[in-house]
Amino acid sequence: KIEGQIAFKNLRRNRKRFRITVFSMVISIILYIVLGNFIGYIFDIGAVQGDIGTDFRATISGGTGEGFTDEQYNTVKALPGVEAVYKFINTYLTVVAPENIINPALKRLNSGAVSDKEGSNIYLPNNTLMSYGDAGFDQLAANLKAGSASKTELDSENGVILLQTSKFYSDINKTAVIDVTHYKVGDTINILSGDPSDSGKGITKQVKVIGILNKGILGGDFSENAGITMITTEKVYKNIIGDVSYTSMGIKLNKDADRGPVTDYLTKLNEQDPKYQFSDISKLREENGKSSIAISIFLYGFVGVITLIGCLNIINTISTNLILRKRELSMLRAVGMTRGAIKKMVAYEGILYGIVAAFYGGILGVVLSYVLSRLTTIIREFDWTFPWIQLITAIVGTIVVTLISSYIPLRKISRQNIVENIRMEE
């Protein structure tokens, strides 16, 4: 319509002003995408320590092979102030995966992480199957990036929740944080029995991927030893490994709960038999939590400041352009253009500014984000992911902010005298 045609011709007529405005907006978009994505990496690669999750750790030492009894577990669970008790059960095993499932960077970074190859399958020896008993599924659900953490579904499907991001020291003398495999929800993982070099033992167990995690819980943010971690229920664990005992428990208290009852019970166990050991890690957890909160506030606060500066920059640029065009807008009103039509015209201009700035800013922001990530790999290796969230937020945010910054000065101009605005010198 006529409003759109005038808006487009205004931008073409004032090319210098248009380019300066777009350039200013592009800088803001680039800063937001690059810094937002980079700070996301800081959290993804574990620079900020996750929550330890428990207040006490009880263990059985001495290698007796005996584990905690159900009676002891239920007693601890019933103690005043106890929120959850985690049965730490884990074992190392070998996974047989199709070659296309393995991250190609794994062999380059850690040659020992990949064992023998048979046909199109690769043996991955350093993997962990673990269970927290029947606790922890709500926390796991909070860290899901795909699928579900339903205990019922895990039991019925012989399923696992997969943590395929591993943190390890690479062959090229630097820490690496990468996805070891590229499994998806619904895929089947084949587990090999016995020595991976003895292919005659064959594949004895299969588990189904029910969910995929961004990070683990209880201090285990990433897998170790360049392998994957499969978390499941106690029932599925026993289906795969057999009936096993557990020699470690994590105890989490309610907020502000008295540690006395738990301490007294664990001390009593230790006095009865020295093989029962425990450690109170609540102070470490508290200090770790405070440190994480402080770093998170600083990093997210930094992104917030950059975002605010970018928005104010766009608002100031667009508003100034409109204020300088008071005479032009008043002349359009004088020749019969309605206020509604002028609003549409200004809105179209704002959208055009936003689209062009988002186009160039988005491309340059993504490119610079990739360049920065490659420079960072000199210190620590990690997989670069396309910054979809930052890009979409920048595009939508830019268009919204340009529209808002167009209407604010336009309301003021609309209330001014047309004749006086026409007479003024630009």
Side-chain angles (χ1 to χ4, degrees), residues 64-207:
T64 61
E66 297 179 3
F68 288 102
T69 64
D70 289 339
E71 181 183 356
Q72 290 169 332
Y73 172 81
N74 292 326
T75 300
V76 172
K77 193 174 180 181
L79 289 173
V82 172
E83 180 182 330
V85 181
Y86 304 93
K87 298 178 181 179
F88 290 114
I89 322 170
N90 70 83
T91 188
Y92 293 97
L93 43 76
T94 297
V95 164
V96 183
E99 190 169 4
N100 63 336
I101 289 291
I102 306 295
N103 189 337
L106 180 62
K107 194 169 185 179
R108 173 176 60 84
L109 295 169
N110 191 323
S111 57
V114 178
S115 185
D116 301 331
K117 179 179 178 182
E118 182 179 299
S120 60
N121 291 328
I122 289 180
Y123 294 101
L124 206 61
N126 300 317
N127 311 282
T128 305
L129 178 69
M130 68 182 307
S131 174
Y132 303 122
D134 293 334
F137 291 102
D138 289 341
Q139 293 156 275
L140 288 168
N143 290 352
L144 283 174
K145 65 178 178 181
S148 122
S150 166
K151 180 181 179 299
T152 303
E153 191 174 357
L154 288 166
D155 284 339
S156 63
E157 298 283 347
N158 204 46
V160 296
I161 302 169
L162 183 63
L163 177 60
Q164 52 191 349
T165 305
S166 183
K167 184 177 181 179
F168 57 91
Y169 197 71
S170 70
D171 295 345
I172 51 180
N173 298 323
K174 62 181 177 180
T175 304
V177 181
I178 64 169
D179 283 351
V180 172
T181 58
H182 299 304
Y183 283 108
K184 296 180 176 61
V185 173
D187 288 349
T188 298
I189 300 178
N190 298 317
I191 297 173
L192 186 69
S193 171
D195 189 339
S197 63
D198 185 3
S199 58
K201 298 218 177 210
I203 297 167
T204 59
K205 298 292 181 179
Q206 289 186 333
V207 292

Side-chain angles (χ1 to χ4, degrees), residues 207-252:
V207 292
K208 183 177 179 180
V209 179
I210 302 299
I212 297 176
L213 297 168
N214 283 312
K215 282 187 176 183
I217 62 172
L218 306 179
D221 287 348
F222 302 108
S223 299
E224 299 178 354
N225 303 321
I228 61 175
T229 297
M230 294 165 282
I231 304 170
T232 188
T233 64
E234 189 174 359
K235 176 183 176 182
V236 175
Y237 188 95
K238 289 180 179 180
N239 288 343
I240 300 169
I241 303 301
D243 194 6
V244 293
S245 58
Y246 57 98
T247 59
S248 181
M249 284 194 299
I251 305 165
K252 182 179 181 181

Side-chain angles (χ1 to χ4, degrees), residues 262-313:
V262 176
T263 303
D264 292 343
Y265 178 76
L266 296 178
T267 302
K268 184 179 178 181
L269 279 180
N270 177 256
E271 290 172 350
Q272 291 174 351
D273 192 333
K275 73 178 181 180
Y276 294 108
Q277 303 287 328
F278 75 95
S279 55
D280 185 342
I281 54 178
S282 55
K283 291 183 179 179
L284 176 62
R285 180 188 180 192
E286 184 179 349
E287 291 173 3
N288 183 69
K290 289 179 180 179
S291 176
S292 297
I293 290 172
I295 295 173
S296 299
I297 290 173
F298 173 76
L299 293 176
Y300 284 123
F302 187 64
V303 173
V305 169
I306 293 298
T307 304
L308 180 61
I309 291 172
C311 291
L312 292 176
N313 175 52

